[in-house]
């Protein structure tokens, strides 16, 4: 029987072959296994941040489950969590226990919203640039398509 490390390595290799390089490196390459239970057929995967976790959950969960099944021959339930870095874990031990869960939830949502807004600004800028270029192309097409009057030769 394969170890968890071997299964995860084989799964990553399979996904690397099946996905585009940019997609693999953006979404899959940095993932690590948080928990693996061969008996319950579950695997919890760490994502770097909440945005990545949500992206994986909504867009790549089935891809990962299919790859795990192809590697192991068994269906695994894949779940995602945000990786807690060591220095964050250490500093969290010193945080007072009276944190308001609602406040923490709102703080996480603000951070995610900030990331999404930054991406939207970038997309908006690219769309503006695209519209300008499209307008220039339309002007060029109009000048090329304008019929020109060629005088008839005298008969």
């Amino acid at each position: 029987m394969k170890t968890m490390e071997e299964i995860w390595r084989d799964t990553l290799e399979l996904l690397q072959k099946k996905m585009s390089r940019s997609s693999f490196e953006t979404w899959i390459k940095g993932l690590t296994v948080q928990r693996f239970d061969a008996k319950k057929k579950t695997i919890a995967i760490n994502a770097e941040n909440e945005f990545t976790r949500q992206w994986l959950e909504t867009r790549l969960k089935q891809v990962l489950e299919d790859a795990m099944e192809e590697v192991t021959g068994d269906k695994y339930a894949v779940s995602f969590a945000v990786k807690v870095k060591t220095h964050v874990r250490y500093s969290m031990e010193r945080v007072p226990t009276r944190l308001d869960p609602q406040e923490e939830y709102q703080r996480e949502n603000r951070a995610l919203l900030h990331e999404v807004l930054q991406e939207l600004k970038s997309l908006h800028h690219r769309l503006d640039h695209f519209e300008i270029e499209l307008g220039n192309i339309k002007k060029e097409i109009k000048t090329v398509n304008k019929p020109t009057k060629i005088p008839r030769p005298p008969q």
Side-chain angles (χ1 to χ4, degrees):
M1 177 150 192
K2 289 183 179 181
T3 65
M4 180 271 303
E5 290 82 10
E6 291 171 326
I7 291 171
W8 185 241
R9 183 194 67 231
D10 292 349
T11 302
L12 291 178
E13 287 174 3
L14 177 65
L15 289 170
Q16 191 171 15
K17 292 175 187 172
K18 289 187 171 193
M19 298 175 76
S20 70
R21 181 178 181 208
S22 61
S23 290
F24 178 82
E25 290 192 7
T26 301
W27 303 110
I28 304 295
K29 188 177 181 180
L31 299 179
T32 57
V33 175
Q34 179 188 60
R35 227 175 25 261
F36 180 83
D37 190 330
K39 290 180 185 176
K40 293 181 180 178
K41 305 290 185 219
T42 60
I43 183 168
I45 298 172
N46 283 323
E48 289 293 323
N49 55 52
E50 181 61 19
F51 181 78
T52 301
R53 187 201 66 75
Q54 287 183 3
W55 181 273
L56 292 166
E57 186 74 41
T58 58
R59 293 181 175 83
L60 293 177
K61 181 177 182 173
Q62 190 63 52
V63 171
L64 281 159
E65 287 178 345
D66 291 346
M68 289 287 297
E69 184 176 1
E70 193 170 331
V71 167
T72 64
D74 293 320
K75 286 189 180 265
Y76 275 80
V78 175
S79 63
F80 303 96
V82 177
K83 183 189 304 185
V84 178
K85 296 184 172 95
T86 305
H87 67 278
V88 173
R89 186 177 299 127
Y90 174 74
S91 65
M92 289 301 285
E93 291 171 0
R94 297 176 175 216
V95 173
T97 56
R98 296 182 130 188
L99 276 180
D100 179 15
Q102 183 66 25
E103 182 182 326
E104 188 63 27
Y105 177 75
Q106 289 173 348
R107 185 180 305 140
E108 289 172 2
N109 282 343
R110 281 193 300 272
L112 178 60
L113 181 60
H114 179 72
E115 287 181 43
V116 170
L117 286 174
Q118 291 301 104
E119 184 64 24
L120 285 173
K121 285 179 184 177
S122 172
L123 289 171
H124 183 71
H125 176 73
R126 291 189 299 193
L127 181 60
D128 285 346
H129 181 72
F130 175 76
E131 287 176 342
I132 291 168
E133 290 300 315
L134 185 60
N136 292 340
I137 291 169
K138 284 180 180 178
K139 286 178 189 173
E140 288 180 31
I141 289 173
K142 283 181 182 177
T143 59
V144 169
N145 286 338
K146 280 187 181 174
T148 55
K149 290 190 176 183
I150 302 173
R152 292 187 175 193
Q155 292 188 7

